[in-house]
PDB file of all heavy atoms in Angstrom:
ATOM      1  N   GLN A 498     -75.942 176.576-102.102  1.00  0.00           N
ATOM      2  CA  GLN A 498     -76.732 176.931-103.353  1.00  0.00           C
ATOM      3  C   GLN A 498     -77.945 176.043-103.468  1.00  0.00           C
ATOM      4  O   GLN A 498     -78.120 175.068-102.849  1.00  0.00           O
ATOM      5  CB  GLN A 498     -75.808 176.815-104.582  1.00  0.00           C
ATOM      6  CG  GLN A 498     -74.580 177.699-104.493  1.00  0.00           C
ATOM      7  CD  GLN A 498     -73.811 177.736-105.792  1.00  0.00           C
ATOM      8  OE1 GLN A 498     -74.170 178.415-106.745  1.00  0.00           O
ATOM      9  NE2 GLN A 498     -72.794 176.915-105.919  1.00  0.00           N
ATOM     10  N   THR A 499     -78.783 176.403-104.414  1.00  0.00           N
ATOM     11  CA  THR A 499     -79.996 175.654-104.673  1.00  0.00           C
ATOM     12  C   THR A 499     -79.701 174.299-105.177  1.00  0.00           C
ATOM     13  O   THR A 499     -78.654 174.068-105.814  1.00  0.00           O
ATOM     14  CB  THR A 499     -80.849 176.376-105.662  1.00  0.00           C
ATOM     15  OG1 THR A 499     -80.292 176.436-106.940  1.00  0.00           O
ATOM     16  CG2 THR A 499     -81.249 177.810-105.240  1.00  0.00           C
ATOM     17  N   CYS A 500     -80.633 173.338-104.988  1.00  0.00           N
ATOM     18  CA  CYS A 500     -80.476 172.095-105.563  1.00  0.00           C
ATOM     19  C   CYS A 500     -80.418 172.074-107.118  1.00  0.00           C
ATOM     20  O   CYS A 500     -79.702 171.233-107.690  1.00  0.00           O
ATOM     21  CB  CYS A 500     -81.681 171.146-105.099  1.00  0.00           C
ATOM     22  SG  CYS A 500     -81.433 170.487-103.486  1.00  0.00           S
ATOM     23  N   ALA A 501     -81.015 173.000-107.735  1.00  0.00           N
ATOM     24  CA  ALA A 501     -80.958 173.054-109.229  1.00  0.00           C
ATOM     25  C   ALA A 501     -79.534 173.278-109.658  1.00  0.00           C
ATOM     26  O   ALA A 501     -79.080 172.613-110.599  1.00  0.00           O
ATOM     27  CB  ALA A 501     -81.892 174.235-109.689  1.00  0.00           C
ATOM     28  N   VAL A 502     -78.857 174.216-109.057  1.00  0.00           N
ATOM     29  CA  VAL A 502     -77.439 174.473-109.430  1.00  0.00           C
ATOM     30  C   VAL A 502     -76.560 173.276-109.025  1.00  0.00           C
ATOM     31  O   VAL A 502     -75.703 172.861-109.843  1.00  0.00           O
ATOM     32  CB  VAL A 502     -76.951 175.729-108.734  1.00  0.00           C
ATOM     33  CG1 VAL A 502     -75.439 175.964-108.891  1.00  0.00           C
ATOM     34  CG2 VAL A 502     -77.674 176.997-109.187  1.00  0.00           C
ATOM     35  N   ASN A 503     -76.824 172.738-107.859  1.00  0.00           N
ATOM     36  CA  ASN A 503     -76.002 171.570-107.392  1.00  0.00           C
ATOM     37  C   ASN A 503     -76.155 170.402-108.337  1.00  0.00           C
ATOM     38  O   ASN A 503     -75.171 169.700-108.667  1.00  0.00           O
ATOM     39  CB  ASN A 503     -76.383 171.187-105.953  1.00  0.00           C
ATOM     40  CG  ASN A 503     -76.092 172.191-104.944  1.00  0.00           C
ATOM     41  OD1 ASN A 503     -75.178 173.020-105.145  1.00  0.00           O
ATOM     42  ND2 ASN A 503     -76.989 172.224-103.906  1.00  0.00           N
ATOM     43  N   LEU A 504     -77.433 170.152-108.823  1.00  0.00           N
ATOM     44  CA  LEU A 504     -77.598 168.994-109.696  1.00  0.00           C
ATOM     45  C   LEU A 504     -76.920 169.143-111.074  1.00  0.00           C
ATOM     46  O   LEU A 504     -76.411 168.220-111.627  1.00  0.00           O
ATOM     47  CB  LEU A 504     -79.158 168.803-109.925  1.00  0.00           C
ATOM     48  CG  LEU A 504     -79.591 167.512-110.583  1.00  0.00           C
ATOM     49  CD1 LEU A 504     -79.108 166.285-109.854  1.00  0.00           C
ATOM     50  CD2 LEU A 504     -81.115 167.545-110.731  1.00  0.00           C
ATOM     51  N   ILE A 505     -76.909 170.388-111.554  1.00  0.00           N
ATOM     52  CA  ILE A 505     -76.170 170.699-112.763  1.00  0.00           C
ATOM     53  C   ILE A 505     -74.699 170.334-112.623  1.00  0.00           C
ATOM     54  O   ILE A 505     -74.096 169.667-113.478  1.00  0.00           O
ATOM     55  CB  ILE A 505     -76.419 172.160-113.248  1.00  0.00           C
ATOM     56  CG1 ILE A 505     -77.852 172.335-113.696  1.00  0.00           C
ATOM     57  CG2 ILE A 505     -75.414 172.460-114.434  1.00  0.00           C
ATOM     58  CD1 ILE A 505     -78.242 173.802-113.913  1.00  0.00           C
ATOM     59  N   TYR A 506     -74.154 170.876-111.560  1.00  0.00           N
ATOM     60  CA  TYR A 506     -72.715 170.644-111.351  1.00  0.00           C
ATOM     61  C   TYR A 506     -72.464 169.155-111.078  1.00  0.00           C
ATOM     62  O   TYR A 506     -71.376 168.595-111.558  1.00  0.00           O
ATOM     63  CB  TYR A 506     -72.105 171.404-110.148  1.00  0.00           C
ATOM     64  CG  TYR A 506     -72.031 172.865-110.388  1.00  0.00           C
ATOM     65  CD1 TYR A 506     -72.395 173.842-109.383  1.00  0.00           C
ATOM     66  CD2 TYR A 506     -71.479 173.351-111.566  1.00  0.00           C
ATOM     67  CE1 TYR A 506     -72.226 175.153-109.619  1.00  0.00           C
ATOM     68  CE2 TYR A 506     -71.368 174.704-111.772  1.00  0.00           C
ATOM     69  CZ  TYR A 506     -71.749 175.620-110.802  1.00  0.00           C
ATOM     70  OH  TYR A 506     -71.628 176.958-111.000  1.00  0.00           O
ATOM     71  N   TYR A 507     -73.356 168.460-110.450  1.00  0.00           N
ATOM     72  CA  TYR A 507     -73.204 166.991-110.215  1.00  0.00           C
ATOM     73  C   TYR A 507     -73.160 166.300-111.591  1.00  0.00           C
ATOM     74  O   TYR A 507     -72.303 165.396-111.715  1.00  0.00           O
ATOM     75  CB  TYR A 507     -74.332 166.505-109.378  1.00  0.00           C
ATOM     76  CG  TYR A 507     -74.431 164.975-109.222  1.00  0.00           C
ATOM     77  CD1 TYR A 507     -73.669 164.370-108.288  1.00  0.00           C
ATOM     78  CD2 TYR A 507     -75.178 164.196-110.100  1.00  0.00           C
ATOM     79  CE1 TYR A 507     -73.625 162.922-108.149  1.00  0.00           C
ATOM     80  CE2 TYR A 507     -75.179 162.803-109.991  1.00  0.00           C
ATOM     81  CZ  TYR A 507     -74.454 162.192-109.019  1.00  0.00           C
ATOM     82  OH  TYR A 507     -74.462 160.811-108.845  1.00  0.00           O
ATOM     83  N   HIS A 508     -73.997 166.640-112.504  1.00  0.00           N
ATOM     84  CA  HIS A 508     -73.956 165.978-113.756  1.00  0.00           C
ATOM     85  C   HIS A 508     -72.718 166.274-114.580  1.00  0.00           C
ATOM     86  O   HIS A 508     -72.218 165.370-115.307  1.00  0.00           O
ATOM     87  CB  HIS A 508     -75.280 166.418-114.614  1.00  0.00           C
ATOM     88  CG  HIS A 508     -76.411 165.627-114.329  1.00  0.00           C
ATOM     89  ND1 HIS A 508     -77.117 165.706-113.095  1.00  0.00           N
ATOM     90  CD2 HIS A 508     -77.135 164.711-115.037  1.00  0.00           C
ATOM     91  CE1 HIS A 508     -78.248 164.900-113.159  1.00  0.00           C
ATOM     92  NE2 HIS A 508     -78.196 164.273-114.334  1.00  0.00           N
ATOM     93  N   VAL A 509     -72.223 167.438-114.481  1.00  0.00           N
ATOM     94  CA  VAL A 509     -70.963 167.731-115.159  1.00  0.00           C
ATOM     95  C   VAL A 509     -69.803 166.915-114.481  1.00  0.00           C
ATOM     96  O   VAL A 509     -68.997 166.320-115.223  1.00  0.00           O
ATOM     97  CB  VAL A 509     -70.588 169.189-115.016  1.00  0.00           C
ATOM     98  CG1 VAL A 509     -69.196 169.544-115.624  1.00  0.00           C
ATOM     99  CG2 VAL A 509     -71.603 170.114-115.785  1.00  0.00           C
ATOM    100  N   HIS A 510     -69.796 166.874-113.195  1.00  0.00           N
ATOM    101  CA  HIS A 510     -68.707 166.150-112.414  1.00  0.00           C
ATOM    102  C   HIS A 510     -68.757 164.672-112.812  1.00  0.00           C
ATOM    103  O   HIS A 510     -67.699 164.137-112.996  1.00  0.00           O
ATOM    104  CB  HIS A 510     -68.902 166.375-110.970  1.00  0.00           C
ATOM    105  CG  HIS A 510     -67.915 165.570-110.164  1.00  0.00           C
ATOM    106  ND1 HIS A 510     -66.499 165.929-110.016  1.00  0.00           N
ATOM    107  CD2 HIS A 510     -68.002 164.395-109.419  1.00  0.00           C
ATOM    108  CE1 HIS A 510     -65.903 165.082-109.259  1.00  0.00           C
ATOM    109  NE2 HIS A 510     -66.764 164.133-108.908  1.00  0.00           N
ATOM    110  N   ARG A 511     -69.886 164.136-112.943  1.00  0.00           N
ATOM    111  CA  ARG A 511     -70.034 162.678-113.253  1.00  0.00           C
ATOM    112  C   ARG A 511     -69.932 162.375-114.710  1.00  0.00           C
ATOM    113  O   ARG A 511     -69.972 161.260-115.127  1.00  0.00           O
ATOM    114  CB  ARG A 511     -71.422 162.162-112.724  1.00  0.00           C
ATOM    115  CG  ARG A 511     -71.524 162.234-111.239  1.00  0.00           C
ATOM    116  CD  ARG A 511     -70.605 161.353-110.524  1.00  0.00           C
ATOM    117  NE  ARG A 511     -70.845 161.364-109.071  1.00  0.00           N
ATOM    118  CZ  ARG A 511     -70.033 160.727-108.168  1.00  0.00           C
ATOM    119  NH1 ARG A 511     -68.987 160.125-108.596  1.00  0.00           N
ATOM    120  NH2 ARG A 511     -70.296 160.810-106.910  1.00  0.00           N
ATOM    121  N   GLY A 512     -69.709 163.454-115.525  1.00  0.00           N
ATOM    122  CA  GLY A 512     -69.606 163.173-116.940  1.00  0.00           C
ATOM    123  C   GLY A 512     -70.891 162.949-117.711  1.00  0.00           C
ATOM    124  O   GLY A 512     -70.918 162.511-118.858  1.00  0.00           O
ATOM    125  N   LEU A 513     -71.980 163.251-116.975  1.00  0.00           N
ATOM    126  CA  LEU A 513     -73.364 163.035-117.579  1.00  0.00           C
ATOM    127  C   LEU A 513     -73.771 164.167-118.454  1.00  0.00           C
ATOM    128  O   LEU A 513     -74.587 164.121-119.334  1.00  0.00           O
ATOM    129  CB  LEU A 513     -74.376 162.854-116.456  1.00  0.00           C
ATOM    130  CG  LEU A 513     -74.104 161.658-115.511  1.00  0.00           C
ATOM    131  CD1 LEU A 513     -75.070 161.694-114.368  1.00  0.00           C
ATOM    132  CD2 LEU A 513     -74.185 160.364-116.266  1.00  0.00           C
ATOM    133  N   LEU A 514     -73.058 165.349-118.213  1.00  0.00           N
ATOM    134  CA  LEU A 514     -73.210 166.494-119.081  1.00  0.00           C
ATOM    135  C   LEU A 514     -71.803 166.939-119.623  1.00  0.00           C
ATOM    136  O   LEU A 514     -70.978 167.287-118.816  1.00  0.00           O
ATOM    137  CB  LEU A 514     -73.839 167.667-118.281  1.00  0.00           C
ATOM    138  CG  LEU A 514     -74.087 169.007-119.025  1.00  0.00           C
ATOM    139  CD1 LEU A 514     -75.074 168.831-120.229  1.00  0.00           C
ATOM    140  CD2 LEU A 514     -74.701 170.013-118.080  1.00  0.00           C
ATOM    141  N   LYS A 515     -71.641 166.806-120.863  1.00  0.00           N
ATOM    142  CA  LYS A 515     -70.282 167.004-121.464  1.00  0.00           C
ATOM    143  C   LYS A 515     -70.113 168.518-121.788  1.00  0.00           C
ATOM    144  O   LYS A 515     -71.029 169.196-122.164  1.00  0.00           O
ATOM    145  CB  LYS A 515     -70.155 166.246-122.761  1.00  0.00           C
ATOM    146  CG  LYS A 515     -70.359 164.738-122.556  1.00  0.00           C
ATOM    147  CD  LYS A 515     -69.308 164.098-121.745  1.00  0.00           C
ATOM    148  CE  LYS A 515     -69.474 162.555-121.655  1.00  0.00           C
ATOM    149  NZ  LYS A 515     -68.441 161.895-120.875  1.00  0.00           N
ATOM    150  N   LEU A 516     -68.872 168.939-121.499  1.00  0.00           N
ATOM    151  CA  LEU A 516     -68.485 170.360-121.799  1.00  0.00           C
ATOM    152  C   LEU A 516     -67.380 170.431-122.784  1.00  0.00           C
ATOM    153  O   LEU A 516     -66.526 169.505-122.828  1.00  0.00           O
ATOM    154  CB  LEU A 516     -68.088 171.047-120.485  1.00  0.00           C
ATOM    155  CG  LEU A 516     -69.085 171.162-119.380  1.00  0.00           C
ATOM    156  CD1 LEU A 516     -68.501 171.904-118.170  1.00  0.00           C
ATOM    157  CD2 LEU A 516     -70.394 171.854-119.767  1.00  0.00           C
ATOM    158  N   PRO A 517     -67.381 171.534-123.586  1.00  0.00           N
ATOM    159  CA  PRO A 517     -68.381 172.555-123.678  1.00  0.00           C
ATOM    160  C   PRO A 517     -69.619 172.078-124.269  1.00  0.00           C
ATOM    161  O   PRO A 517     -69.608 171.135-125.111  1.00  0.00           O
ATOM    162  CB  PRO A 517     -67.686 173.595-124.531  1.00  0.00           C
ATOM    163  CG  PRO A 517     -66.718 172.828-125.400  1.00  0.00           C
ATOM    164  CD  PRO A 517     -66.210 171.669-124.569  1.00  0.00           C
ATOM    165  N   ILE A 518     -70.730 172.737-123.963  1.00  0.00           N
ATOM    166  CA  ILE A 518     -72.017 172.286-124.463  1.00  0.00           C
ATOM    167  C   ILE A 518     -72.073 172.663-125.945  1.00  0.00           C
ATOM    168  O   ILE A 518     -71.865 173.866-126.294  1.00  0.00           O
ATOM    169  CB  ILE A 518     -73.167 172.950-123.616  1.00  0.00           C
ATOM    170  CG1 ILE A 518     -73.146 172.370-122.239  1.00  0.00           C
ATOM    171  CG2 ILE A 518     -74.533 172.708-124.293  1.00  0.00           C
ATOM    172  CD1 ILE A 518     -74.111 173.065-121.283  1.00  0.00           C
ATOM    173  N   SER A 519     -72.426 171.690-126.768  1.00  0.00           N
ATOM    174  CA  SER A 519     -72.388 171.913-128.219  1.00  0.00           C
ATOM    175  C   SER A 519     -73.741 171.951-128.862  1.00  0.00           C
ATOM    176  O   SER A 519     -73.946 172.442-129.995  1.00  0.00           O
ATOM    177  CB  SER A 519     -71.553 170.760-128.918  1.00  0.00           C
ATOM    178  OG  SER A 519     -72.070 169.548-128.570  1.00  0.00           O
ATOM    179  N   SER A 520     -74.742 171.527-128.122  1.00  0.00           N
ATOM    180  CA  SER A 520     -76.100 171.550-128.689  1.00  0.00           C
ATOM    181  C   SER A 520     -77.153 171.831-127.585  1.00  0.00           C
ATOM    182  O   SER A 520     -76.967 171.449-126.381  1.00  0.00           O
ATOM    183  CB  SER A 520     -76.447 170.239-129.322  1.00  0.00           C
ATOM    184  OG  SER A 520     -76.406 169.135-128.446  1.00  0.00           O
ATOM    185  N   THR A 521     -78.184 172.505-127.888  1.00  0.00           N
ATOM    186  CA  THR A 521     -79.307 172.813-126.944  1.00  0.00           C
ATOM    187  C   THR A 521     -80.522 172.323-127.599  1.00  0.00           C
ATOM    188  O   THR A 521     -80.622 172.154-128.850  1.00  0.00           O
ATOM    189  CB  THR A 521     -79.348 174.296-126.620  1.00  0.00           C
ATOM    190  OG1 THR A 521     -79.415 175.033-127.866  1.00  0.00           O
ATOM    191  CG2 THR A 521     -78.040 174.729-125.917  1.00  0.00           C
ATOM    192  N   PRO A 522     -81.691 172.206-126.875  1.00  0.00           N
ATOM    193  CA  PRO A 522     -81.792 172.422-125.390  1.00  0.00           C
ATOM    194  C   PRO A 522     -81.081 171.345-124.575  1.00  0.00           C
ATOM    195  O   PRO A 522     -80.696 170.300-125.165  1.00  0.00           O
ATOM    196  CB  PRO A 522     -83.282 172.401-125.236  1.00  0.00           C
ATOM    197  CG  PRO A 522     -83.834 171.508-126.328  1.00  0.00           C
ATOM    198  CD  PRO A 522     -82.999 171.844-127.446  1.00  0.00           C
TER     199      PRO A 522
END
């Protein structure tokens, strides 16, 4: 997959992006 998608998953895996997403942007 593209690096954009990979980087998003990387941030989730490392706990840098918390789920579920409660606020945007």
Side-chain angles (χ1 to χ4, degrees):
Q498 299 187 84
T499 64
C500 279
V502 173
N503 296 330
L504 189 60
I505 291 171
Y506 287 142
Y507 173 85
H508 274 71
V509 174
H510 177 76
R511 296 295 184 188
L513 303 173
L514 179 62
K515 303 294 184 180
L516 300 182
I518 293 173
S519 56
S520 64
T521 57

